[in-house]
Amino acid sequence: MSRVRKGVNGVLTRERIVGAAVALVERDGADALSMRAVAGELGVAVMSLYNHVPNKAALLKGMAERVLADLDLPENRHLDWRVRARELIRAFRRVARENPRCTDLIVTHSVEVPFGLKPVERGLEIAHDAGFDGPTSVRLMRAIISYAQGSLLRETEQMRMLDSLPADAAGAFAELDPERFPRVTLLAKELTEHDPETDFEFGLDLFINAIDALPR
C-alpha cells in the first residue's frame, strides 16, 4: 500500500511544487531554481518531487502554465491589429507585474517551454496581420515583449529614485544651478511625480504609432 508523501504543510502535489518554485524564483531569482532548492522550500526530500515533476524541464513547464494562466489575449483576428497589439502588451505587462522574475525566466526559456511561446505566437500573428514580413515580424514581437517588460523596469527604477529623495522631492532640485539645468529646475515638480499608468499608455501610443509608420 503506497503512502502519500507530505511536506511541512501537508500533502505534496504538483501544484504545491510549482507554487514553491514560483515563490522561490520571485524571492531569490532564477539562478536559485533547482529541484533541491524547491524541495528545501517544501521541507521534503528531493526525490519525492520526482513523483509529481519528473525533471526541471517539467517544472519550468508547470511554472509557465501557472504564471501565464491569466494572460488574457485578444482572440478576434477581425479586430484591428493596433487594438490587438495594445491588448497583448497590456496583458503581458499585467502578468509580468505579478511575477516579474518568473516571466523573464519563461520568456528566456520559451523554446524549451512551449507554453511560454503563447505571447510569442500572438505577437507574430499580429505583426503578420499588420502586413510585415517574417524577419520584421520576429523583431516586432521581440520589441512588443521588451516594451511590456521594460516599462516595469522603468517603474521600479523610478520608485527607487523617488524613495531616495527627501519628503519635499521637488525642493531637492532647488540646489541645482538653473543655468546648467534650466529644464530640470523648471519641471522639477513634474519630474518627481509618479503616474506609471499614464506614462505607460503614453509610451504605448508612441510605440504603436512608430510600428504603424514602418514600411511594409
Side-chain angles (χ1 to χ4, degrees):
M1 182 176 179
S2 62
R3 293 184 300 171
V4 176
R5 294 183 179 273
K6 294 187 178 182
V8 293
N9 293 314
V11 177
L12 188 63
T13 63
R14 180 177 184 272
E15 290 70 27
R16 284 193 63 216
I17 294 169
V18 170
V22 169
L24 173 68
V25 170
E26 289 304 322
R27 187 186 68 229
D28 298 334
D31 290 342
L33 181 65
S34 69
M35 299 295 278
R36 187 171 299 279
V38 173
E41 289 285 299
L42 294 165
V44 300
V46 66
M47 292 307 295
S48 64
L49 300 187
Y50 295 103
N51 295 321
H52 308 276
V53 182
N55 49 47
K56 189 174 179 180
L59 179 61
L60 283 170
K61 180 176 182 292
M63 294 171 67
E65 290 171 353
R66 170 170 291 205
V67 171
L68 297 180
D70 295 328
L71 187 60
D72 185 19
L73 300 179
E75 298 285 348
N76 189 353
R77 293 188 68 174
H78 295 294
L79 288 175
D80 185 87
W81 70 267
R82 301 166 192 82
V83 174
R84 289 154 58 206
R86 281 184 168 86
E87 288 307 307
L88 171 60
I89 293 172
R90 288 173 183 142
F92 190 82
R93 180 171 177 260
R94 285 192 294 270
V95 168
R97 174 177 277 169
E98 290 293 320
N99 295 285
R101 287 178 162 180
C102 285
T103 302
D104 184 62
L105 175 64
I106 291 163
V107 169
T108 56
H109 289 75
S110 59
V111 174
E112 298 143 55
V113 187
F115 204 92
L117 290 169
K118 186 178 178 182
V120 173
E121 175 64 28
R122 192 55 50 84
L124 292 173
E125 176 187 278
I126 290 170
H128 173 269
D129 291 350
F132 293 104
D133 60 26
T136 305
S137 294
V138 170
R139 294 186 180 96
L140 287 177
M141 174 275 299
R142 290 171 178 163
I144 285 171
I145 293 176
S146 294
Y147 180 70
Q149 289 182 295
S151 68
L152 288 175
L153 178 61
R154 189 207 60 79
E155 286 176 28
T156 302
E157 292 300 320
Q158 178 77 359
M159 287 300 298
R160 187 176 293 121
M161 184 273 289
L162 293 178
D163 287 343
S164 69
L165 294 175
D168 179 17
F173 289 95
E175 298 178 2
L176 293 175
D177 182 353
E179 292 188 2
R180 291 186 61 196
F181 304 101
R183 296 294 109 190
V184 171
T185 52
L186 179 65
L187 298 171
K189 180 177 180 295
E190 288 78 4
L191 285 170
T192 55
E193 292 175 343
H194 187 53
D195 186 354
E197 292 305 317
T198 300
D199 288 347
F200 170 77
E201 290 295 332
F202 180 80
L204 183 56
D205 283 340
L206 292 179
F207 183 65
I208 297 299
N209 289 336
I211 292 177
D212 201 16
L214 291 173
R216 280 20 174 210

